[in-house]
Amino acid sequence: MKKALHLIVTYFVFLILSIIFGTFLYMIFHNALNFIAGDRIIFFQLKVFLPAFLYISFGACFFICPFISIYRVRHLHGILQTTAYILICLITWIVIFPSVYYIEKKAQRFYQSEKQEKLLSKNYFRETEDKIYFITKNFSPVLNDEGKIEYETNSVIMDKTENGIVTYEKISDSEPNGPKAKAKPFNEIGIKNAFKFEKIFSLLGIGVLVDVAKKSLEGGIWTYLQFLTLAFLLCSLYGISYFFDWRILNTYAIFVTTICIIFVNITYYMPIFEPFRVKINDFGFLEILSRHIEEPLLFTANTFFGIIFIAAGCIKYILHKVKKQKA
């Protein structure tokens, strides 16, 4: 009983610490995202902290149960511990995740506001792949040929080729090849280069699943239960926490499988996968299932592999008991 309670306490400690640390990193990223050279950095803003805290809380739900499964690899203690783990999974997906969603809905009025487009500041060098820009004046609003307001300024532009030319030209803030466009989704190209955005974006891809989960909650209990097949699959990784005789292999198996599960589920919802998703969901058994379930392919795959992992854990447990009795 003490070991089971220890697992629950460990769960809450790791969940709280991961949310606090994740929120801290998210706020750093948010500041970098919106930073303009010359601006004063304000680290803590309630309107930034609250959505960051809620987003990280959503994301933590996807990883906490696999993490506890990894923790269990080195702290293996019987049926009561397994019962405690099931309780942990239920708390995560039946209590915490919907509660965070409810809090977010209520809190949106406090932090939602129109995003103001920031203009690049003058007197700073900004280096893209082929040019270096030095803006000499602040941007000013002008009417373009279509009658819309855009912002223009003058800039010294240095060509980075071997026979580079220095020119003094007018540039627009909305110019497709300008320093602002090259820096997207950041405001400053130097920040983008420092953060290696492509790698960060891959880590933030969990937002796709967070959005899907929110939509499923908006759709009611039945649609949320369909989404919970992903939660079921992630929680079922507990079944392989002592599948191998070597602990390092169990840890590696849970870690790699978690990444694969998240990656496959994210990829499934990407636009590039949509034609295939529509075709296969209209095929055979999945077509019948689609009358009651929105994503029958993903629902079936997540459920199937979840059952496989649980069955593997049960079989391993039975074999271990038989071997122990014989000994």
Side-chain angles (χ1 to χ4, degrees):
M1 186 66 177
K2 188 182 292 186
K3 299 296 183 182
L5 291 174
H6 177 75
L7 190 71
I8 294 175
V9 171
T10 302
Y11 161 77
F12 280 109
V13 169
F14 279 126
L15 181 63
I16 293 169
L17 289 178
S18 63
I19 290 174
I20 292 172
F21 184 67
T23 302
F24 174 75
L25 291 180
Y26 190 96
M27 289 181 69
I28 291 176
F29 179 73
H30 181 274
N31 275 286
L33 199 69
N34 294 281
F35 177 75
I36 291 288
D39 279 1
R40 185 166 62 94
I41 297 175
I42 304 173
F43 179 75
F44 183 85
Q45 301 177 64
L46 184 59
K47 288 187 177 182
V48 177
F49 170 78
L50 193 55
F53 176 81
L54 294 171
Y55 177 80
I56 294 299
S57 297
F58 281 127
C61 290
F62 287 91
F63 295 103
I64 188 65
C65 291
F67 183 82
I68 293 298
S69 296
I70 291 175
Y71 174 82
R72 193 241 185 178
V73 170
R74 294 188 61 85
H75 303 81
L76 186 60
H77 296 286
I79 296 296
L80 283 177
Q81 188 188 59
T82 302
T83 304
Y85 178 79
I86 294 171
L87 179 61
I88 283 170
C89 295
L90 292 175
I91 290 172
T92 303
W93 292 102
I94 305 301
V95 178
I96 294 178
F97 198 94
S99 296
V100 175
Y101 171 76
Y102 177 78
I103 293 169
E104 184 188 53
K105 295 289 283 185
K106 292 294 183 182
Q108 278 179 350
R109 71 183 75 171
F110 297 108
Y111 66 80
Q112 274 193 342
S113 59
E114 289 188 14
K115 184 179 178 182
Q116 294 182 346
E117 191 72 19
K118 287 189 173 183
L119 301 173
L120 295 178
S121 54
K122 63 179 180 179
N123 298 333
Y124 288 93
F125 288 97
R126 293 174 174 91
E127 183 177 358
T128 63
E129 299 92 352
D130 55 347
K131 295 178 181 179
I132 298 174
Y133 293 81
F134 185 83
I135 297 172
T136 57
K137 296 181 180 178
N138 290 326
F139 281 88
S140 302
V142 294
L143 281 176
N144 60 19
D145 296 336
E146 299 174 356
K148 295 180 181 179
I149 294 178
E150 63 178 27
Y151 294 86
E152 289 185 351
T153 190
N154 294 321
S155 174
V156 177
I157 303 176
M158 291 162 270
D159 195 332
K160 289 172 65 178
T161 59
E162 188 176 348
N163 299 315
I165 301 172
V166 178
T167 58
Y168 187 67
E169 303 176 19
K170 277 190 176 181
I171 63 169
S172 168
D173 194 50
S174 58
E175 189 177 318
N177 293 315
K180 184 71 176 286
K182 294 280 188 179
K184 286 186 176 179
F186 294 89
N187 285 327
E188 290 286 359
I189 186 68
I191 299 293
K192 179 181 180 179
N193 293 336
F195 266 76
K196 302 296 180 185
F197 178 71
E198 291 78 10
K199 295 179 181 179
I200 292 177
F201 182 76
S202 65
L203 295 175
L204 297 178
I206 192 70
V208 174
L209 296 181
V210 171
D211 290 339
V212 171
K214 289 180 185 178
K215 288 178 183 177
S216 70
L217 279 165
E218 290 171 1
I221 294 176
W222 177 236
T223 54
Y224 185 56
L225 287 174
Q226 293 175 41
F227 175 79
L228 285 184
T229 55
L230 171 57
F232 171 69
L233 179 55
L234 290 170
C235 292
S236 70
L237 293 176
Y238 185 86
I240 59 174
S241 60
Y242 63 106
F243 187 78
F244 298 103
D245 293 331
W246 289 358
R247 289 176 178 176
I248 188 66
L249 287 179
N250 292 323
T251 301
Y252 184 75
I254 295 172
F255 177 78
V256 172
T257 307
T258 300
I259 299 301
C260 290
I261 290 170
I262 295 296
F263 174 78
V264 169
N265 277 265
I266 289 173
T267 304
Y268 181 86
Y269 288 106
M270 286 183 174
I272 194 171
F273 194 72
E274 188 172 357
F276 173 74
R277 188 170 73 226
V278 172
K279 286 182 181 179
I280 199 165
N281 281 333
D282 290 336
F283 180 76
F285 168 73
L286 295 178
E287 183 181 9
I288 299 171
L289 206 59
S290 65
R291 299 170 191 171
H292 309 285
I293 296 171
E294 290 186 3
E295 300 294 343
L297 173 60
L298 198 60
F299 177 90
T300 304
N302 285 342
T303 304
F304 174 76
F305 284 105
I307 292 172
I308 291 294
F309 291 144
I310 292 173
C314 292
I315 292 170
K316 181 67 177 182
Y317 176 78
I318 293 169
L319 292 175
H320 177 73
K321 283 291 183 183
V322 171
K323 185 178 180 180
K324 195 174 181 181
Q325 287 177 355
K326 287 182 178 180

